[in-house]
Amino acid sequence: MSRPPRPTTAPPRSWRAKARPAALAAVLAGALLPGTPRAEDEVVIDIIGGMEAATPIAVVPFQTAGGASPETRIAPIIAADLARSGRFEVLPEADLIATPGRIEDVQFSTWRALGVDYLVVGGLRPGEEQDYRARFELLDAFRGERTDGRSYRVGEGSLRRLAHTLSDRIYKAITGDEGAFSSRIAYIAVSQQKADGGGSGDPPEQRYRLVVADADGHRGRTVLRASAPLLSPAWSPSRDRLAYVSFEGGGSQVFVQELATGERRRVASFKGINSAPAWSPDGERLAVTLSRDGAANIYLIDLDSGETRAITNHWAIDTEAAWAPDGETIYFTSDRGGKPQIYRTGVDGGEVERVTYEGAYNAHPTLSPSGERLAMVHRREGAYHIAVQDLERDAFRVLSDGPADESPSFAPNGDWVLYSAGGDGNAYLETASLIGDAVTPLEATQRPGAQVREPAW
């Protein structure tokens, strides 16, 4: 299925946190207390979309003691995680009226006057073996009590991971739902590089990397480098393997790679198209697109035996398979009706049913972990957006602004969708929240002239 055209530039719109009510201006202006963050440390969180239902929360910089001077600041990472979820309105760090480190130091009436419902405080001190002892508390400002709290022992290199862990705890304690801040994403990074031995007038060549990173795009680790295109990374259910498409050797092939060892094996290299791998929920099969018999159809590959079986048989292009969580149904993109739309069929083949009818272009299906929602690329007025269809209520909702958004992937908790935005000139990753309407660029994936695309969560 051909990709939509992309503009050369598409900078995201920005939204800064709401101004505090005028009645509180004097409180904020007179709160120049010890520990107020410096201007250069201000954390600016860009959010696109409304936050009327967001829960107000303040994340206070963690106090340090005993000479602790960590390079990684925990509080801004937690603040960015919670803001990105769309379910929280995070008080800007510059607006904090105090920096308490524990519940005993908190004047709850002051925070209630600011409209804050919850407060996160904590501290760091040196441990015994070049590590840190970290503690945090989640405080209910309305009730004036601790909701959650815990101590940790952690090294400098694990402070960012700890911050995501705390974000998950906070998210679960307040919303009752599991967070996904500690999960990982995979994506393809494309860059321009001068060829070895090339002359000054020779054009640069493209280089491709398969990257695994934290859910916010930080701590990226390259697991494969290539001079030929890489496409369509897909996580195994056990999260220890990635399937992907490589064009090494001149043609498309599907590989599966072990992340711990780097060992990989070729699972599809038939004549013609080998593309769009998708793992079955039990991790034993891959659904792929093959054209070995002429037309592009959806096939299942048994990873143990190598047995390959077609589940669609049509003259049109059937591609981009996505499994339902029950492992019994496959969703896929097809132009069998004249325009790309999403269809579904059983894994044993049989009747094919059209699923999408909103507009003339819907492609790249992906199912939420519960199977209740279907995310896709939706074209509207010439622009490509990420949209979600509720399969039970048949409700349809556009999440992103476009104009060249692609490759949606649900978070493990189903509350957010990750996708590529920005176009050819500077493609990067964004997340869209299904609750709260927050659309947030992942700043760690925004690099001038770089292309970060094909994300998988």
Side-chain angles (χ1 to χ4, degrees):
M1 189 64 58
S2 60
R3 294 183 176 279
R6 305 182 184 93
T8 55
T9 58
R13 295 183 290 107
S14 297
W15 180 90
R16 187 184 287 269
K18 299 175 185 176
R20 300 290 102 188
L24 300 175
V27 177
L28 297 175
L32 300 180
L33 303 178
T36 299
R38 298 170 296 171
E40 62 266 30
D41 288 335
E42 180 185 0
V43 176
V44 178
I45 301 169
D46 289 331
I47 304 293
I48 303 169
M51 295 180 63
E52 283 73 11
T55 299
I57 189 169
V59 183
V60 178
F62 280 32
Q63 290 188 347
T64 57
S69 56
E71 296 181 4
T72 302
R73 298 178 65 215
I74 293 178
I77 299 171
I78 296 174
D81 282 346
L82 298 180
R84 193 168 61 253
S85 76
R87 301 183 73 168
F88 295 91
E89 181 185 2
V90 182
L91 185 70
E93 189 173 319
D95 289 352
L96 297 175
I97 61 172
T99 55
R102 56 181 71 244
I103 188 172
E104 293 83 2
D105 304 327
V106 176
Q107 295 182 354
F108 286 104
S109 59
T110 303
W111 294 100
R112 287 195 294 268
L114 286 173
V116 171
D117 288 356
Y118 291 92
L119 191 66
V120 178
V121 300
L124 283 171
R125 62 181 177 84
E128 298 176 357
E129 299 179 1
Q130 297 184 337
D131 58 4
Y132 292 104
R133 297 299 176 93
R135 55 173 177 77
F136 100 104
E137 295 175 272
L138 173 61
L139 309 177
D140 186 321
F142 181 77
R143 293 185 174 87
E145 62 186 24
R146 181 187 294 108
T147 298
D148 191 17
R150 187 173 175 180
S151 296
Y152 297 83
R153 179 178 174 179
V154 62
E156 172 73 50
S158 298
L159 286 175
R160 177 170 284 276
R161 184 170 58 187
L162 172 63
H164 294 314
T165 298
L166 298 183
S167 298
D168 283 335
R169 289 184 67 100
I170 294 164
Y171 192 85
K172 177 68 177 294
I174 297 176
T175 70
D177 298 329
E178 297 293 336
F181 307 110
S182 297
S183 58
R184 295 185 296 172
I185 62 175
Y187 59 83
I188 303 299
V190 186
S191 60
Q192 304 288 335
Q193 180 177 319
K194 284 289 187 180
D196 294 338
S200 59
D202 293 338
E205 296 180 351
Q206 287 190 323
R207 294 289 186 267
Y208 301 83
R209 294 184 298 125
L210 175 58
V211 180
V212 171
D214 288 353
D216 61 357
H218 285 275
R219 294 202 314 158
R221 178 173 68 90
T222 299
V223 299
L224 182 67
R225 299 178 187 272
S227 57
L230 299 172
L231 299 171
S232 306
W235 288 98
S236 68
S238 56
R239 312 290 290 180
D240 58 352
R241 292 174 291 172
L242 282 169
Y244 55 87
V245 177
S246 172
F247 278 79
E248 59 194 76
S252 60
Q253 304 173 80
V254 177
F255 287 83
V256 169
Q257 180 165 332
E258 301 279 348
L259 292 180
T261 65
E263 180 182 353
R264 64 185 193 135
R265 68 186 179 105
R266 186 184 296 108
V267 297
S269 57
F270 300 98
K271 179 181 177 181
I273 296 171
N274 301 268
S275 68
W279 293 86
S280 63
D282 59 11
E284 296 179 357
R285 293 169 292 175
L286 283 178
V288 299
T289 298
L290 304 177
S291 63
R292 67 177 195 178
D293 298 320
N297 280 289
I298 306 296
Y299 288 73
L300 298 186
I301 299 177
D302 185 286
L303 292 174
D304 285 337
S305 67
E307 179 186 355
T308 303
R309 175 174 60 87
I311 64 168
T312 68
N313 181 18
H314 200 274
W315 53 263
I317 298 175
D318 292 347
T319 186
E320 299 175 335
W323 293 78
D326 62 9
E328 299 296 326
T329 305
I330 295 283
Y331 290 74
F332 61 96
T333 303
S334 178
D335 62 353
R336 60 181 61 201
K339 299 285 186 178
Q341 294 291 345
I342 296 171
Y343 297 77
R344 63 186 168 199
T345 188
V347 294
D348 295 325
E351 181 181 357
V352 174
E353 176 188 6
R354 181 171 167 178
V355 178
T356 55
Y357 290 89
E358 185 79 20
Y361 182 105
N362 294 288
H364 202 121
T366 181
L367 275 295
S368 66
S370 67
E372 297 175 354
R373 297 185 178 97
L374 177 71
M376 69 199 76
V377 177
H378 170 71
R379 187 175 66 199
R380 175 172 293 183
E381 297 180 352
Y384 293 83
H385 308 266
I386 304 303
V388 170
Q389 181 170 319
D390 188 309
L391 295 174
E392 294 185 349
R393 295 195 296 265
D394 205 31
F396 191 89
R397 176 183 171 195
V398 175
L399 296 180
S400 72
D401 288 342
D405 303 335
E406 61 175 2
S407 304
S409 180
F410 272 100
N413 64 358
D415 286 352
W416 313 298
V417 177
L418 174 71
Y419 56 94
S420 179
D424 280 330
N426 186 27
Y428 54 89
L429 303 186
E430 284 187 341
T431 60
S433 170
L434 273 68
I435 305 174
D437 293 331
V439 175
T440 313
L442 300 189
E443 293 182 358
T445 68
Q446 291 181 307
R447 304 181 186 91
Q451 298 180 42
V452 177
R453 55 180 75 247
E454 305 268 346
W457 202 334

